[in-house]
Structure formats: C-alpha cells, structure tokens
Amino acid sequence: MSLPSYVRPTEAKIIKRLVRKALNLGYVVSVYDGEDYAIVRSNDFDAITAEIAATDSTELVFRRADDKTKIGSVLLIHGNDEDVISDHSDNELTNALVEMEDA
C-alpha cells in the first residue's frame, strides 16, 4: 500500500522521497495525524505512507532506529503541492533530510 489516491501527484513525489530518504538514513518514522499516532517508530515504507494524509495535516517524527534518539519532525500541509513540507525542526539533520535535491 502507498499514499492514498487523493494525494496530489506533486505532493506524493515529495512525501515518498522524504520517507525513503529517512529510511535509507536508518531512521524510523512516526506518523501523527493531529489526534493520535497512527504509526509509531516504523521502518515499513508502505505502512508509513498509507497513514499519511488521513487529515489535512500530518506530522512525521524521525528517530534513529538504533537508540530512538529524536532527529526532528516535519509538518506536512496537504493541498499545498510543492509546498507540502510546511515546517520542520531547524537542526542540521532535519535540514539535510528535507533537502530534496539529495533524495
């Protein structure tokens, strides 16, 4: 399974690259939909992406897989196309994660 079919193509491309990049860096991802964590510390791409866009915004929280140290978080606002990444933690690791040209 992957992102819901109603996610805009531009957003889907950005979100998939972000999640793949995080997983390739050895991070686990939690998906927060504004009310609850739908996924907690997962490295399963399909499970993670299936839970994104359940609401108008999604927060992705990234942690190291080995020791669960928090890397940072990214706020996705759905419906913003290429600006789907609305905000993110301002630290070196998260800044590098959201740089799409490296994905």
Side-chain angles (χ1 to χ4, degrees):
M1 192 173 226
S2 192
L3 290 165
S5 62
Y6 52 81
V7 174
R8 295 176 179 190
T10 301
E11 293 181 17
K13 181 179 177 183
I14 293 167
I15 293 166
K16 286 178 180 180
R17 288 176 74 188
L18 175 67
V19 172
R20 281 191 184 109
K21 186 173 182 181
L23 296 177
N24 287 338
L25 289 169
Y27 301 158
V28 291
V29 182
S30 297
V31 179
Y32 184 72
D33 65 12
E35 293 184 22
D36 199 11
Y37 281 93
I39 296 287
V40 177
R41 296 183 192 138
S42 176
N43 63 359
D44 182 330
F45 177 83
D46 290 334
I48 294 164
T49 55
E51 295 299 333
I52 293 173
T55 60
D56 291 340
S57 64
T58 304
E59 181 179 5
L60 302 178
V61 179
F62 303 95
R63 293 180 181 275
R64 292 187 193 281
D66 55 358
D67 64 3
K68 309 298 186 244
T69 300
K70 186 174 181 179
I71 300 303
S73 62
V74 172
L75 178 63
L76 306 173
I77 303 294
H78 306 290
N80 284 345
D81 288 319
E82 66 274 351
D83 294 325
V84 66
I85 297 176
S86 176
D87 199 9
H88 61 83
S89 300
D90 187 16
N91 63 53
E92 185 177 336
L93 294 174
T94 309
N95 290 339
L97 183 60
V98 300
E99 290 175 3
M100 285 295 120
E101 61 273 6
D102 294 338

